[in-house]
Amino acid sequence: MARTATIVRETSESKVELSLNLDGTGKTDIDTSVPFYNHMMTALGKHSLIDLKIKAAGDTDIDAHHTVEDIAIVFGEALKQALGDKRGIRRFADATVPLDEALAKAVVDISGRPYCVCTGEPEGFEYCMLGGHFTGSLVRHVMESIAMHAGICLHLHVISGRDPHHIAEAEFKALARALRFAIEPDPRVDGIPSTKGAL
């Protein structure tokens, strides 16, 4: 069965069209209307091996926040939809990813119970402007929105870093690599990987 999803979400603040294939090769076609976010979502698709297509537009003349948040919501919903009953997946995974001086670790549980813990970003990171449109505070907001709408438990920890671009990119790539291994089929698992029989 194909593990794919396509979702269109339109509000007074944004319109998001998103398609993904969990069993892809990391092929991406990303146009979020926020340049730095294009870079981050391209990295997320590439390193998770999730084929990802995003076309979005919104009130970025006011602020990038609404469009960025809505894309994260739709990505989370699509991830949840494509996973189905989660039969046969590995479920748990972690990844530690460097980018020069920055180092980030992501740990995920495809649990059906949303939770997000983000720690370690240096003081002042949330106020940094990345690419002219994307503030550092949006990284945590994206992670929280994905976790809540995908129904996953995510712990994300910045171990070190100085350059805000490197820190943000290491965080997105760490999530990508953890997702890659958590959502992939485990040849030793025949059913749902939970003692409860459901995720």
mmCIF file of all heavy atoms in Angstrom, residues 152-195:
data_model
loop_
_atom_site.group_PDB
_atom_site.id
_atom_site.type_symbol
_atom_site.label_atom_id
_atom_site.label_comp_id
_atom_site.label_asym_id
_atom_site.label_seq_id
_atom_site.Cartn_x
_atom_site.Cartn_y
_atom_site.Cartn_z
ATOM 1 N N ILE A 152 3.348 12.790 16.985
ATOM 2 C CA ILE A 152 4.624 12.158 17.326
ATOM 3 C C ILE A 152 5.226 12.838 18.554
ATOM 4 O O ILE A 152 4.925 13.997 18.853
ATOM 5 C CB ILE A 152 5.641 12.197 16.160
ATOM 6 C CG1 ILE A 152 6.045 13.638 15.822
ATOM 7 C CG2 ILE A 152 5.078 11.492 14.935
ATOM 8 C CD1 ILE A 152 7.130 13.738 14.757
ATOM 9 N N CYS A 153 6.066 12.105 19.244
ATOM 10 C CA CYS A 153 6.850 12.659 20.338
ATOM 11 C C CYS A 153 8.219 13.020 19.770
ATOM 12 O O CYS A 153 8.886 12.176 19.160
ATOM 13 C CB CYS A 153 6.989 11.629 21.460
ATOM 14 S SG CYS A 153 8.014 12.201 22.838
ATOM 15 N N LEU A 154 8.603 14.275 19.942
ATOM 16 C CA LEU A 154 9.871 14.771 19.409
ATOM 17 C C LEU A 154 10.655 15.465 20.507
ATOM 18 O O LEU A 154 10.137 16.373 21.166
ATOM 19 C CB LEU A 154 9.609 15.750 18.260
ATOM 20 C CG LEU A 154 10.792 16.603 17.788
ATOM 21 C CD1 LEU A 154 11.907 15.738 17.215
ATOM 22 C CD2 LEU A 154 10.319 17.639 16.762
ATOM 23 N N HIS A 155 11.877 15.024 20.707
ATOM 24 C CA HIS A 155 12.823 15.733 21.558
ATOM 25 C C HIS A 155 13.949 16.228 20.653
ATOM 26 O O HIS A 155 14.579 15.433 19.953
ATOM 27 C CB HIS A 155 13.396 14.815 22.643
ATOM 28 C CG HIS A 155 12.435 14.526 23.744
ATOM 29 N ND1 HIS A 155 12.607 15.016 25.028
ATOM 30 C CD2 HIS A 155 11.286 13.822 23.756
ATOM 31 C CE1 HIS A 155 11.597 14.604 25.789
ATOM 32 N NE2 HIS A 155 10.791 13.880 25.047
ATOM 33 N N LEU A 156 14.180 17.525 20.685
ATOM 34 C CA LEU A 156 15.191 18.142 19.841
ATOM 35 C C LEU A 156 16.123 18.963 20.720
ATOM 36 O O LEU A 156 15.662 19.824 21.477
ATOM 37 C CB LEU A 156 14.526 19.028 18.791
ATOM 38 C CG LEU A 156 15.429 19.683 17.753
ATOM 39 C CD1 LEU A 156 16.122 18.641 16.885
ATOM 40 C CD2 LEU A 156 14.603 20.619 16.869
ATOM 41 N N HIS A 157 17.407 18.669 20.632
ATOM 42 C CA HIS A 157 18.375 19.330 21.512
ATOM 43 C C HIS A 157 19.544 19.875 20.696
ATOM 44 O O HIS A 157 20.181 19.139 19.940
ATOM 45 C CB HIS A 157 18.904 18.344 22.549
ATOM 46 C CG HIS A 157 19.906 18.932 23.487
ATOM 47 N ND1 HIS A 157 19.661 20.052 24.261
ATOM 48 C CD2 HIS A 157 21.184 18.570 23.760
ATOM 49 C CE1 HIS A 157 20.736 20.344 24.961
ATOM 50 N NE2 HIS A 157 21.671 19.469 24.681
ATOM 51 N N VAL A 158 19.771 21.166 20.834
ATOM 52 C CA VAL A 158 20.954 21.783 20.229
ATOM 53 C C VAL A 158 22.113 21.606 21.204
ATOM 54 O O VAL A 158 22.088 22.118 22.324
ATOM 55 C CB VAL A 158 20.722 23.272 19.931
ATOM 56 C CG1 VAL A 158 22.010 23.914 19.400
ATOM 57 C CG2 VAL A 158 19.588 23.454 18.925
ATOM 58 N N ILE A 159 23.108 20.853 20.780
ATOM 59 C CA ILE A 159 24.251 20.545 21.640
ATOM 60 C C ILE A 159 25.278 21.666 21.599
ATOM 61 O O ILE A 159 25.871 22.020 22.629
ATOM 62 C CB ILE A 159 24.865 19.199 21.213
ATOM 63 C CG1 ILE A 159 23.831 18.074 21.393
ATOM 64 C CG2 ILE A 159 26.144 18.904 21.992
ATOM 65 C CD1 ILE A 159 24.208 16.766 20.738
ATOM 66 N N SER A 160 25.479 22.225 20.411
ATOM 67 C CA SER A 160 26.416 23.342 20.280
ATOM 68 C C SER A 160 26.064 24.118 19.023
ATOM 69 O O SER A 160 25.329 23.643 18.160
ATOM 70 C CB SER A 160 27.868 22.850 20.208
ATOM 71 O OG SER A 160 28.067 22.065 19.039
ATOM 72 N N GLY A 161 26.603 25.339 18.935
ATOM 73 C CA GLY A 161 26.373 26.137 17.744
ATOM 74 C C GLY A 161 26.580 27.610 18.005
ATOM 75 O O GLY A 161 26.356 28.102 19.107
ATOM 76 N N ARG A 162 26.985 28.319 16.963
ATOM 77 C CA ARG A 162 27.212 29.750 17.042
ATOM 78 C C ARG A 162 26.445 30.473 15.936
ATOM 79 O O ARG A 162 25.742 31.431 16.191
ATOM 80 C CB ARG A 162 28.713 30.055 16.929
ATOM 81 C CG ARG A 162 29.069 31.530 17.011
ATOM 82 C CD ARG A 162 30.561 31.767 16.724
ATOM 83 N NE ARG A 162 30.899 31.453 15.331
ATOM 84 C CZ ARG A 162 31.579 30.359 14.945
ATOM 85 N NH1 ARG A 162 32.015 29.489 15.839
ATOM 86 N NH2 ARG A 162 31.836 30.128 13.667
ATOM 87 N N ASP A 163 26.578 29.992 14.717
ATOM 88 C CA ASP A 163 25.923 30.629 13.580
ATOM 89 C C ASP A 163 24.444 30.230 13.529
ATOM 90 O O ASP A 163 24.130 29.039 13.483
ATOM 91 C CB ASP A 163 26.624 30.194 12.284
ATOM 92 C CG ASP A 163 26.050 30.890 11.073
ATOM 93 O OD1 ASP A 163 25.007 30.424 10.575
ATOM 94 O OD2 ASP A 163 26.629 31.886 10.614
ATOM 95 N N PRO A 164 23.501 31.192 13.530
ATOM 96 C CA PRO A 164 22.075 30.854 13.558
ATOM 97 C C PRO A 164 21.615 29.999 12.380
ATOM 98 O O PRO A 164 20.783 29.107 12.549
ATOM 99 C CB PRO A 164 21.387 32.228 13.553
ATOM 100 C CG PRO A 164 22.388 33.160 14.126
ATOM 101 C CD PRO A 164 23.718 32.662 13.661
ATOM 102 N N HIS A 165 22.163 30.268 11.207
ATOM 103 C CA HIS A 165 21.822 29.450 10.029
ATOM 104 C C HIS A 165 22.229 27.996 10.260
ATOM 105 O O HIS A 165 21.450 27.072 10.019
ATOM 106 C CB HIS A 165 22.526 30.026 8.792
ATOM 107 C CG HIS A 165 22.196 29.345 7.503
ATOM 108 N ND1 HIS A 165 22.035 30.032 6.336
ATOM 109 C CD2 HIS A 165 22.014 28.033 7.178
ATOM 110 C CE1 HIS A 165 21.766 29.186 5.348
ATOM 111 N NE2 HIS A 165 21.766 27.962 5.844
ATOM 112 N N HIS A 166 23.434 27.796 10.744
ATOM 113 C CA HIS A 166 23.921 26.437 10.989
ATOM 114 C C HIS A 166 23.084 25.727 12.055
ATOM 115 O O HIS A 166 22.782 24.534 11.922
ATOM 116 C CB HIS A 166 25.387 26.482 11.442
ATOM 117 C CG HIS A 166 26.330 26.924 10.379
ATOM 118 N ND1 HIS A 166 27.652 27.199 10.638
ATOM 119 C CD2 HIS A 166 26.154 27.158 9.053
ATOM 120 C CE1 HIS A 166 28.262 27.556 9.519
ATOM 121 N NE2 HIS A 166 27.364 27.555 8.545
ATOM 122 N N ILE A 167 22.723 26.451 13.098
ATOM 123 C CA ILE A 167 21.923 25.850 14.172
ATOM 124 C C ILE A 167 20.572 25.391 13.638
ATOM 125 O O ILE A 167 20.161 24.241 13.842
ATOM 126 C CB ILE A 167 21.734 26.851 15.328
ATOM 127 C CG1 ILE A 167 23.067 27.119 16.029
ATOM 128 C CG2 ILE A 167 20.703 26.335 16.329
ATOM 129 C CD1 ILE A 167 23.036 28.325 16.953
ATOM 130 N N ALA A 168 19.869 26.271 12.934
ATOM 131 C CA ALA A 168 18.558 25.926 12.393
ATOM 132 C C ALA A 168 18.647 24.754 11.423
ATOM 133 O O ALA A 168 17.844 23.814 11.473
ATOM 134 C CB ALA A 168 17.946 27.140 11.695
ATOM 135 N N GLU A 169 19.624 24.789 10.556
ATOM 136 C CA GLU A 169 19.752 23.724 9.555
ATOM 137 C C GLU A 169 20.105 22.391 10.201
ATOM 138 O O GLU A 169 19.592 21.336 9.792
ATOM 139 C CB GLU A 169 20.796 24.121 8.510
ATOM 140 C CG GLU A 169 20.812 23.181 7.321
ATOM 141 C CD GLU A 169 21.616 23.728 6.154
ATOM 142 O OE1 GLU A 169 21.897 24.949 6.101
ATOM 143 O OE2 GLU A 169 21.973 22.905 5.278
ATOM 144 N N ALA A 170 20.960 22.405 11.211
ATOM 145 C CA ALA A 170 21.277 21.167 11.923
ATOM 146 C C ALA A 170 20.018 20.591 12.587
ATOM 147 O O ALA A 170 19.815 19.370 12.602
ATOM 148 C CB ALA A 170 22.366 21.408 12.962
ATOM 149 N N GLU A 171 19.161 21.462 13.123
ATOM 150 C CA GLU A 171 17.925 21.000 13.750
ATOM 151 C C GLU A 171 17.004 20.333 12.732
ATOM 152 O O GLU A 171 16.462 19.246 12.980
ATOM 153 C CB GLU A 171 17.210 22.177 14.427
ATOM 154 C CG GLU A 171 17.915 22.683 15.662
ATOM 155 C CD GLU A 171 17.192 23.854 16.298
ATOM 156 O OE1 GLU A 171 17.407 25.005 15.854
ATOM 157 O OE2 GLU A 171 16.399 23.632 17.233
ATOM 158 N N PHE A 172 16.800 20.960 11.591
ATOM 159 C CA PHE A 172 15.932 20.380 10.562
ATOM 160 C C PHE A 172 16.512 19.070 10.024
ATOM 161 O O PHE A 172 15.776 18.103 9.792
ATOM 162 C CB PHE A 172 15.722 21.375 9.420
ATOM 163 C CG PHE A 172 14.586 22.332 9.641
ATOM 164 C CD1 PHE A 172 14.781 23.526 10.309
ATOM 165 C CD2 PHE A 172 13.314 22.041 9.171
ATOM 166 C CE1 PHE A 172 13.737 24.415 10.516
ATOM 167 C CE2 PHE A 172 12.253 22.924 9.363
ATOM 168 C CZ PHE A 172 12.462 24.111 10.038
ATOM 169 N N LYS A 173 17.822 19.026 9.831
ATOM 170 C CA LYS A 173 18.441 17.807 9.305
ATOM 171 C C LYS A 173 18.411 16.677 10.336
ATOM 172 O O LYS A 173 18.242 15.503 9.970
ATOM 173 C CB LYS A 173 19.876 18.088 8.862
ATOM 174 C CG LYS A 173 19.960 18.892 7.569
ATOM 175 C CD LYS A 173 21.406 19.182 7.192
ATOM 176 C CE LYS A 173 21.484 19.880 5.839
ATOM 177 N NZ LYS A 173 22.885 20.246 5.479
ATOM 178 N N ALA A 174 18.551 17.016 11.609
ATOM 179 C CA ALA A 174 18.461 15.984 12.646
ATOM 180 C C ALA A 174 17.057 15.388 12.680
ATOM 181 O O ALA A 174 16.887 14.171 12.772
ATOM 182 C CB ALA A 174 18.827 16.570 14.005
ATOM 183 N N LEU A 175 16.034 16.253 12.603
ATOM 184 C CA LEU A 175 14.663 15.743 12.529
ATOM 185 C C LEU A 175 14.486 14.854 11.306
ATOM 186 O O LEU A 175 13.890 13.770 11.388
ATOM 187 C CB LEU A 175 13.670 16.903 12.475
ATOM 188 C CG LEU A 175 12.213 16.481 12.203
ATOM 189 C CD1 LEU A 175 11.665 15.594 13.311
ATOM 190 C CD2 LEU A 175 11.335 17.716 11.997
ATOM 191 N N ALA A 176 15.007 15.292 10.174
ATOM 192 C CA ALA A 176 14.872 14.525 8.938
ATOM 193 C C ALA A 176 15.457 13.122 9.076
ATOM 194 O O ALA A 176 14.818 12.129 8.722
ATOM 195 C CB ALA A 176 15.565 15.266 7.788
ATOM 196 N N ARG A 177 16.663 13.043 9.604
ATOM 197 C CA ARG A 177 17.318 11.732 9.717
ATOM 198 C C ARG A 177 16.611 10.832 10.725
ATOM 199 O O ARG A 177 16.471 9.625 10.505
ATOM 200 C CB ARG A 177 18.783 11.923 10.122
ATOM 201 C CG ARG A 177 19.627 12.540 9.037
ATOM 202 C CD ARG A 177 19.854 11.641 7.861
ATOM 203 N NE ARG A 177 20.740 10.530 8.191
ATOM 204 C CZ ARG A 177 21.192 9.653 7.312
ATOM 205 N NH1 ARG A 177 20.836 9.723 6.045
ATOM 206 N NH2 ARG A 177 21.991 8.675 7.688
ATOM 207 N N ALA A 178 16.140 11.421 11.818
ATOM 208 C CA ALA A 178 15.400 10.614 12.792
ATOM 209 C C ALA A 178 14.099 10.101 12.189
ATOM 210 O O ALA A 178 13.735 8.932 12.364
ATOM 211 C CB ALA A 178 15.144 11.433 14.049
ATOM 212 N N LEU A 179 13.392 10.966 11.461
ATOM 213 C CA LEU A 179 12.154 10.531 10.811
ATOM 214 C C LEU A 179 12.418 9.425 9.794
ATOM 215 O O LEU A 179 11.639 8.466 9.695
ATOM 216 C CB LEU A 179 11.480 11.707 10.105
ATOM 217 C CG LEU A 179 10.639 12.649 10.952
ATOM 218 C CD1 LEU A 179 10.118 13.790 10.081
ATOM 219 C CD2 LEU A 179 9.482 11.913 11.620
ATOM 220 N N ARG A 180 13.505 9.576 9.038
ATOM 221 C CA ARG A 180 13.829 8.560 8.023
ATOM 222 C C ARG A 180 13.832 7.156 8.631
ATOM 223 O O ARG A 180 13.237 6.230 8.081
ATOM 224 C CB ARG A 180 15.193 8.863 7.401
ATOM 225 C CG ARG A 180 15.688 7.759 6.494
ATOM 226 C CD ARG A 180 17.069 8.047 5.944
ATOM 227 N NE ARG A 180 17.582 6.883 5.231
ATOM 228 C CZ ARG A 180 18.753 6.844 4.605
ATOM 229 N NH1 ARG A 180 19.525 7.918 4.592
ATOM 230 N NH2 ARG A 180 19.155 5.753 3.996
ATOM 231 N N PHE A 181 14.494 7.006 9.761
ATOM 232 C CA PHE A 181 14.625 5.678 10.352
ATOM 233 C C PHE A 181 13.384 5.265 11.139
ATOM 234 O O PHE A 181 13.043 4.081 11.176
ATOM 235 C CB PHE A 181 15.869 5.631 11.230
ATOM 236 C CG PHE A 181 17.137 5.838 10.457
ATOM 237 C CD1 PHE A 181 17.956 6.934 10.703
ATOM 238 C CD2 PHE A 181 17.503 4.964 9.439
ATOM 239 C CE1 PHE A 181 19.108 7.143 9.967
ATOM 240 C CE2 PHE A 181 18.657 5.160 8.701
ATOM 241 C CZ PHE A 181 19.472 6.256 8.962
ATOM 242 N N ALA A 182 12.681 6.219 11.734
ATOM 243 C CA ALA A 182 11.497 5.881 12.538
ATOM 244 C C ALA A 182 10.329 5.410 11.682
ATOM 245 O O ALA A 182 9.567 4.530 12.090
ATOM 246 C CB ALA A 182 11.076 7.076 13.378
ATOM 247 N N ILE A 183 10.174 5.990 10.484
ATOM 248 C CA ILE A 183 9.007 5.662 9.665
ATOM 249 C C ILE A 183 9.259 4.522 8.693
ATOM 250 O O ILE A 183 8.324 4.018 8.064
ATOM 251 C CB ILE A 183 8.511 6.889 8.874
ATOM 252 C CG1 ILE A 183 9.541 7.329 7.821
ATOM 253 C CG2 ILE A 183 8.140 8.017 9.826
ATOM 254 C CD1 ILE A 183 9.081 8.480 6.942
ATOM 255 N N GLU A 184 10.503 4.085 8.571
ATOM 256 C CA GLU A 184 10.768 3.048 7.572
ATOM 257 C C GLU A 184 10.316 1.675 8.073
ATOM 258 O O GLU A 184 10.289 1.409 9.276
ATOM 259 C CB GLU A 184 12.246 3.021 7.191
ATOM 260 C CG GLU A 184 13.184 2.428 8.208
ATOM 261 C CD GLU A 184 14.631 2.397 7.708
ATOM 262 O OE1 GLU A 184 14.897 2.894 6.600
ATOM 263 O OE2 GLU A 184 15.476 1.882 8.439
ATOM 264 N N PRO A 185 9.924 0.807 7.153
ATOM 265 C CA PRO A 185 9.509 -0.547 7.548
ATOM 266 C C PRO A 185 10.650 -1.323 8.182
ATOM 267 O O PRO A 185 11.788 -1.258 7.732
ATOM 268 C CB PRO A 185 9.090 -1.183 6.211
ATOM 269 C CG PRO A 185 8.790 -0.023 5.307
ATOM 270 C CD PRO A 185 9.737 1.060 5.714
ATOM 271 N N ASP A 186 10.330 -2.026 9.255
ATOM 272 C CA ASP A 186 11.280 -2.914 9.925
ATOM 273 C C ASP A 186 10.967 -4.337 9.490
ATOM 274 O O ASP A 186 9.873 -4.845 9.762
ATOM 275 C CB ASP A 186 11.132 -2.773 11.447
ATOM 276 C CG ASP A 186 12.178 -3.560 12.225
ATOM 277 O OD1 ASP A 186 12.717 -4.551 11.686
ATOM 278 O OD2 ASP A 186 12.446 -3.182 13.378
ATOM 279 N N PRO A 187 11.882 -5.008 8.799
ATOM 280 C CA PRO A 187 11.593 -6.349 8.280
ATOM 281 C C PRO A 187 11.283 -7.367 9.373
ATOM 282 O O PRO A 187 10.727 -8.424 9.102
ATOM 283 C CB PRO A 187 12.858 -6.716 7.496
ATOM 284 C CG PRO A 187 13.938 -5.828 8.046
ATOM 285 C CD PRO A 187 13.250 -4.564 8.452
ATOM 286 N N ARG A 188 11.615 -7.065 10.622
ATOM 287 C CA ARG A 188 11.359 -7.999 11.719
ATOM 288 C C ARG A 188 10.022 -7.740 12.408
ATOM 289 O O ARG A 188 9.634 -8.510 13.300
ATOM 290 C CB ARG A 188 12.487 -7.919 12.738
ATOM 291 C CG ARG A 188 13.846 -8.334 12.173
ATOM 292 C CD ARG A 188 14.946 -8.179 13.209
ATOM 293 N NE ARG A 188 14.735 -9.039 14.357
ATOM 294 C CZ ARG A 188 15.398 -8.932 15.508
ATOM 295 N NH1 ARG A 188 16.277 -7.961 15.664
ATOM 296 N NH2 ARG A 188 15.159 -9.752 16.508
ATOM 297 N N VAL A 189 9.347 -6.670 12.016
ATOM 298 C CA VAL A 189 8.074 -6.314 12.650
ATOM 299 C C VAL A 189 6.927 -6.594 11.684
ATOM 300 O O VAL A 189 6.900 -6.064 10.576
ATOM 301 C CB VAL A 189 8.059 -4.825 13.069
ATOM 302 C CG1 VAL A 189 6.694 -4.435 13.618
ATOM 303 C CG2 VAL A 189 9.147 -4.563 14.098
ATOM 304 N N ASP A 190 5.983 -7.409 12.115
ATOM 305 C CA ASP A 190 4.864 -7.794 11.270
ATOM 306 C C ASP A 190 3.594 -7.024 11.587
ATOM 307 O O ASP A 190 2.701 -6.907 10.779
ATOM 308 C CB ASP A 190 4.602 -9.306 11.399
ATOM 309 C CG ASP A 190 3.598 -9.788 10.374
ATOM 310 O OD1 ASP A 190 3.581 -9.232 9.255
ATOM 311 O OD2 ASP A 190 2.828 -10.703 10.682
ATOM 312 N N GLY A 191 3.491 -6.506 12.807
ATOM 313 C CA GLY A 191 2.272 -5.819 13.226
ATOM 314 C C GLY A 191 2.557 -4.397 13.653
ATOM 315 O O GLY A 191 3.479 -3.743 13.166
ATOM 316 N N ILE A 192 1.750 -3.913 14.569
ATOM 317 C CA ILE A 192 1.904 -2.562 15.090
ATOM 318 C C ILE A 192 2.880 -2.599 16.262
ATOM 319 O O ILE A 192 2.687 -3.374 17.212
ATOM 320 C CB ILE A 192 0.539 -2.007 15.523
ATOM 321 C CG1 ILE A 192 -0.346 -1.867 14.278
ATOM 322 C CG2 ILE A 192 0.696 -0.671 16.233
ATOM 323 C CD1 ILE A 192 -1.787 -1.568 14.559
ATOM 324 N N PRO A 193 3.937 -1.789 16.232
ATOM 325 C CA PRO A 193 4.986 -1.873 17.249
ATOM 326 C C PRO A 193 4.580 -1.201 18.568
ATOM 327 O O PRO A 193 5.125 -0.167 18.977
ATOM 328 C CB PRO A 193 6.162 -1.168 16.594
ATOM 329 C CG PRO A 193 5.541 -0.188 15.669
ATOM 330 C CD PRO A 193 4.287 -0.844 15.163
ATOM 331 N N SER A 194 3.620 -1.817 19.244
ATOM 332 C CA SER A 194 3.152 -1.315 20.530
ATOM 333 C C SER A 194 2.550 -2.460 21.308
ATOM 334 O O SER A 194 1.839 -3.305 20.748
ATOM 335 C CB SER A 194 2.096 -0.220 20.345
ATOM 336 O OG SER A 194 1.500 0.120 21.580
ATOM 337 N N THR A 195 2.811 -2.502 22.607
ATOM 338 C CA THR A 195 2.187 -3.520 23.453
ATOM 339 C C THR A 195 0.677 -3.336 23.556
ATOM 340 O O THR A 195 -0.048 -4.268 23.918
ATOM 341 C CB THR A 195 2.793 -3.498 24.881
ATOM 342 O OG1 THR A 195 2.673 -2.178 25.416
ATOM 343 C CG2 THR A 195 4.265 -3.909 24.836
#
